[in-house]
Amino acid sequence: MKIKIVVVLVLIQLVYWSCAEAHPLDPLSPSELNLVRTIVTNSYPPSNLTFQYVALDEPDKPQILSWLSSKSKAPHSPPLPLPRRAFVVARFKKQSLEITVDLSTRSIISSRVYNGHGFPTLTFAEQGLVSKLPFSYEPFKESIKKRGLNMSEVVCAAFTVGWYGEENTKRIVKVKCYYANGATANLYARPVEGVSMVADLDDMTILSFSDRFGIPVPKAEGTEYRASKLKPPFGPKLNAINVTQPHGPGFAIDGHSVSWANWKFHLGFDFRVGPIISLASIYDMEKHKYREVLYRGFISEVYVPYQDPTEEWYYTTYFDCGEYGFGQSASSLEPLRDCPSNAHFLDAFYADANGKPVKISNAFCIFEKYAGDIMWRHTEIAIPNQVITEARADVSLVVRMVSTVGNYDYIIDWEFKPSGSIKFGVGLTGILGMKGGAYSNMDQIKGEIDIHGTLLSDNTIGVYHDHFFTYYLDLDIDGQRNSFVKTTLETRKVKDHKIPRKSYWTAVTETAKTEADGRVKLGLEAAELAVVNPNKKTKQGNKIGYRLLPGSVAHPLLATDDYPQIRGAFSNYNVWVTPYNKSEKWASGMFVDRSRGDDTIAVWSRDREIEKKDIVLWYTMGLHHVPAQEDYPVMPTLSAGFELRPTNFFEANPVLKTIISN
């Protein structure tokens, strides 16, 4: 007994030491996750408890800024550690608990039952358990037998069902199934259409069963994507490219802190959203100091409404972060395939349903990108007897994660450029959401029949859908007191009749005073959007800032009173601007599964003041996806992105004197 006590004390001391040495924004370590589990299960019997979400309860922003200030003033004397706390969402006796754990005192400092609408993120464990229920359910077994399918080749999966006006909601999912038959790994291309079940996640029971029709299972031929299973002819043939760096990588990693060229930032990880970039600042050679750009940024939600209103598909409107967990769904990256040869890999950890740490090997890769792009150039031939050419090769630093949420693989890139820009990239690949159909050729679809998708192959329809990526961007441009500026480009008539020109455009600037002024639907007018620091100006008197260069502009096409759009109302505007509030970080709300849209940014963004305040920019990039046959059986990457670019932030071109060592 004495030996056991000593071991526990040593482990606790090790955890305490790790807390003291950690950056205050570091994600919870495996030892910290274990400690959280121990503390929580001491108060709640583990037999009735599941951990749905465990994450760092980050210190308040003023505390972080004070800690950073102390560290910069005394770099050789570490500042006092900030409290390390964890935020836990758990299910206990069919209730959702919100628990805050203090790791330093090894105690629960707050715990409350959540009584609002919606449920927590689904764990892999409960998805796996509920997907096995059909195999012991007699009506399902009979349906599979009736179709002449081999039960051992059937695979089932759980899907969230949303909310459609019900007064009382249970924690339920739909269970749908697919057929492999040993011939392909492409399950999603072979749905057992028409068969579905509703299952209770808390009781792990099937509540209802439906077998509406017997559409043939699409054939396996032509659906395989594994290289080892494909048959010749192969092509096109591409020669390999190797990136060599004679002087080694140009970036340094210290724990979760990254520095490269003129950038430094912190890389975190979250079960719900995956990568979190914090404290991004850039070195200004003229001012001889690092300057703040981004306090904290991440993808807050990915909203994917499918456009098939039939009985089998109408509920298919997913919230990939809030319902499934973008971080939980992170895939281990493959060297030389997902990332180039010069990439450095980092692992990530999250807590499973039992609270135990799960390791995702190679969750991130970080690499310097040499894509043959040009940073800047000019050729001058106007000077007599001279041809002057100056050019600089572009290099950037990329942080990458891939999240595989069911059929889709999302490639998430954060790209830092020496010019001061941050580029945000999203690549969509993987496998389309497909349904079985009765058609093999478009000529068979007569009159007003709407199949709600594209006929990709025999009996296979790729369903129309959208992707809306909502980013949370807490920009601190040289400090916290910022403003949101909208510059509209307006056409003017030339008043001087001596000039043959009849018109021109000019820039008209307006500073948003309240949240209502900061809501923007892009594409309706020519405009530039920027976050500026009105208290700081360049030598020429321009307000320093960063502008948003939008990517793909798409607006939701669902009716605003349609239930999925009520829940996804954060996509109604491409841009929202809110005053900073630590609790306001989930665009879709905290409890998203079966939510009712009463905790989204569209609700809590009212009309608060945002001029000369600590503000957060929310940007939604959207894509309407009409599938094509080239997207089948696996989809070539569809890329989208946007950019945050300095605007009068520097006195001149910050990469004018850039040198790339040979």
Side-chain angles (χ1 to χ4, degrees):
M1 177 62 72
K2 291 182 179 179
I3 294 175
K4 289 183 180 180
I5 292 173
V6 170
V7 170
V8 169
L9 289 174
V10 169
L11 286 174
I12 290 174
Q13 189 64 45
L14 285 172
V15 170
Y16 177 79
W17 286 337
S18 68
C19 292
E21 296 170 357
H23 189 289
L25 293 178
D26 282 353
L28 297 175
S29 66
S31 58
E32 288 175 319
L33 290 171
N34 277 321
L35 181 57
V36 169
R37 178 178 181 270
T38 299
I39 294 169
V40 172
T41 54
N42 281 341
S43 297
Y44 298 94
S47 58
N48 295 314
L49 181 78
T50 59
F51 291 82
Q52 308 294 140
Y53 174 72
V54 181
L56 173 72
D57 182 17
E58 66 195 69
D60 293 336
K61 189 172 181 179
Q63 289 181 291
I64 294 289
L65 297 177
S66 177
W67 183 87
L68 288 171
S69 177
S70 299
K71 186 177 180 182
S72 63
K73 290 176 181 177
H76 302 295
S77 177
L80 292 175
L82 296 177
R84 289 285 280 178
R85 293 177 177 174
F87 177 69
V88 178
V89 175
R91 289 288 288 176
F92 183 70
K93 296 182 177 179
K94 298 185 180 182
Q95 292 182 315
S96 296
L97 302 181
E98 295 178 283
I99 304 169
T100 302
V101 175
D102 190 311
L103 295 173
S104 303
T105 61
R106 301 183 292 283
S107 62
I108 292 175
I109 58 176
S110 71
S111 179
R112 77 180 186 97
V113 176
Y114 172 73
N115 291 313
H117 299 131
F119 299 103
T121 307
L122 278 63
T123 66
F124 278 163
E126 59 194 356
Q127 290 180 60
L129 287 173
V130 79
S131 298
K132 295 177 181 177
L133 294 178
F135 299 97
S136 57
Y137 190 70
E138 288 303 323
F140 173 76
K141 291 160 67 174
E142 193 63 34
S143 287
I144 296 300
K145 182 180 179 181
K146 180 176 66 178
R147 285 169 166 78
L149 305 179
N150 184 346
M151 182 67 79
S152 65
E153 300 290 347
V154 175
V155 177
C156 299
F159 299 91
T160 55
V161 299
W163 170 73
Y164 290 89
E166 306 95 324
E167 281 296 321
N168 299 306
T169 52
K170 289 185 176 182
R171 195 162 178 255
I172 60 173
V173 292
K174 283 263 191 178
V175 180
K176 296 172 71 173
C177 303
Y178 305 88
Y179 195 54
N181 197 28
T184 180
N186 198 337
L187 301 173
Y188 296 103
R190 307 195 71 202
V192 182
E193 200 66 44
V195 176
S196 65
M197 289 142 281
V198 175
D200 188 307
L201 279 176
D202 286 328
D203 292 333
M204 283 296 161
T205 57
I206 292 177
L207 302 177
S208 65
F209 172 80
S210 174
D211 185 355
R212 284 176 23 101
F213 44 75
I215 287 176
V217 174
K219 65 183 187 303
E221 181 184 357
T223 65
E224 185 58 79
Y225 55 83
R226 291 173 292 180
S228 61
K229 302 293 183 180
L230 297 177
K231 298 178 181 179
F234 297 103
K237 184 179 179 180
L238 305 174
N239 290 337
I241 298 174
N242 289 321
V243 177
T244 60
Q245 295 180 281
H247 303 287
F251 58 90
I253 301 175
D254 180 10
H256 291 269
S257 297
V258 181
S259 58
W260 171 79
N262 47 356
W263 280 101
K264 64 178 182 180
F265 58 88
H266 181 275
L267 172 61
F269 175 81
D270 180 80
F271 172 94
R272 177 166 173 161
V273 301
I276 298 178
I277 300 292
S278 304
L279 308 176
S281 60
I282 189 166
Y283 189 78
D284 189 327
M285 290 179 59
E286 297 244 343
K287 298 184 182 296
H288 307 291
K289 67 175 184 178
Y290 279 95
R291 300 171 64 190
E292 300 162 274
V293 175
L294 179 72
Y295 177 75
R296 204 151 171 82
F298 51 86
I299 296 178
S300 182
E301 189 56 271
V302 181
Y303 169 43
V304 189
Y306 280 76
Q307 305 302 319
D308 186 337
T310 60
E311 181 67 27
E312 282 68 37
W313 276 78
Y314 76 87
Y315 63 88
T316 312
T317 53
Y318 302 131
F319 294 76
D320 284 342
C321 293
E323 291 178 337
Y324 291 100
F326 230 47
Q328 175 185 223
S329 304
S331 297
S332 293
L333 299 174
E334 295 285 334
L336 304 180
R337 292 176 176 84
D338 291 319
C339 308
S341 58
N342 62 326
H344 179 85
F345 293 86
L346 295 173
D347 302 331
F349 298 87
Y350 69 88
D352 67 11
N354 294 316
K356 296 180 180 179
V358 176
K359 177 181 178 180
I360 305 174
S361 300
N362 294 358
F364 296 109
C365 70
I366 302 175
F367 59 92
E368 288 165 289
K369 179 180 174 182
Y370 298 79
D373 296 330
I374 299 170
M375 182 183 292
W376 66 263
R377 81 172 316 281
H378 180 62
T379 296
E380 183 58 70
I381 61 173
I383 301 174
N385 304 317
Q386 293 191 56
V387 176
I388 300 171
T389 297
E390 287 287 332
R392 301 292 183 271
D394 197 20
V395 183
S396 57
L397 186 75
V398 175
V399 177
R400 174 171 295 167
M401 189 194 85
V402 172
S403 185
T404 302
V405 187
N407 53 303
Y408 257 102
D409 293 63
Y410 296 101
I411 305 163
I412 307 301
D413 283 357
W414 289 70
E415 183 175 355
F416 296 85
K417 303 183 77 65
S419 61
S421 287
I422 305 175
K423 298 184 76 172
F424 303 77
V426 174
L428 289 76
T429 181
I431 298 169
L432 291 171
M434 290 175 273
K435 68 174 183 176
Y439 309 104
S440 59
N441 191 281
M442 290 296 293
D443 292 339
Q444 300 168 335
I445 304 172
K446 305 294 184 181
E448 297 182 357
I449 295 175
D450 190 343
I451 62 172
H452 309 294
T454 302
L455 188 63
L456 302 173
S457 184
D458 292 353
N459 309 117
T460 305
I461 298 167
V463 181
Y464 302 144
H465 59 283
D466 301 318
H467 298 269
F468 294 101
F469 299 86
T470 298
Y471 282 78
Y472 171 102
L473 301 166
D474 181 6
L475 290 161
D476 284 355
I477 308 301
D478 248 357
Q480 288 73 58
R481 292 177 64 82
N482 289 176
S483 295
F484 179 65
V485 174
K486 180 180 178 181
T487 301
T488 305
L489 309 183
E490 296 184 358
T491 301
R492 298 285 173 85
K493 295 291 186 180
V494 176
K495 296 179 180 179
D496 188 345
H497 298 295
K498 297 177 183 178
I499 304 296
R501 275 278 293 271
K502 295 183 178 181
S503 63
Y504 64 99
W505 63 258
T506 191
V508 179
T509 299
E510 178 185 4
T511 300
K513 297 187 179 301
T514 67
E515 288 176 285
D517 301 328
R519 296 170 196 151
V520 179
K521 290 185 177 181
L522 295 169
L524 304 182
E525 59 183 356
E528 292 199 351
L529 308 175
V531 174
V532 305
N533 188 326
N535 303 307
K536 295 185 179 181
K537 298 180 180 180
T538 63
K539 293 175 183 177
Q540 273 59 53
N542 293 307
K543 296 174 184 176
I544 67 166
Y546 262 71
R547 58 178 161 165
L548 171 69
L549 299 182
S552 174
V553 176
H555 302 289
L557 300 177
L558 298 182
T560 55
D561 63 347
D562 196 356
Y563 293 107
Q565 196 56 34
I566 292 172
R567 301 175 66 218
F570 52 88
S571 65
N572 288 343
Y573 292 92
N574 301 102
V575 175
W576 305 72
V577 182
T578 62
Y580 171 81
N581 183 322
K582 180 184 173 183
S583 67
E584 296 176 354
K585 56 185 178 180
W586 310 125
S588 54
M590 180 66 211
F591 293 85
V592 182
D593 179 35
R594 309 223 67 198
S595 62
R596 303 187 183 186
D598 53 5
D599 186 30
T600 72
I601 188 173
V603 173
W604 40 256
S605 173
R606 298 175 294 278
D607 206 18
R608 296 168 290 188
E609 293 183 359
I610 58 173
E611 185 178 16
K612 296 182 180 179
K613 302 288 185 181
D614 188 358
I615 57 177
V616 176
L617 177 74
W618 306 75
Y619 171 64
T620 295
M621 177 176 62
L623 296 163
H624 299 304
H625 193 173
V626 177
Q629 284 186 240
E630 290 82 358
D631 296 334
Y632 176 86
V634 66
M635 188 173 121
T637 300
L638 175 64
S639 298
F642 66 99
E643 182 176 346
L644 291 174
R645 186 180 179 92
T647 179
N648 302 315
F649 186 83
F650 299 102
E651 294 294 339
N653 180 355
V655 289
L656 177 67
K657 300 178 182 179
T658 295
I659 298 173
I660 298 180
S661 58
N662 295 322

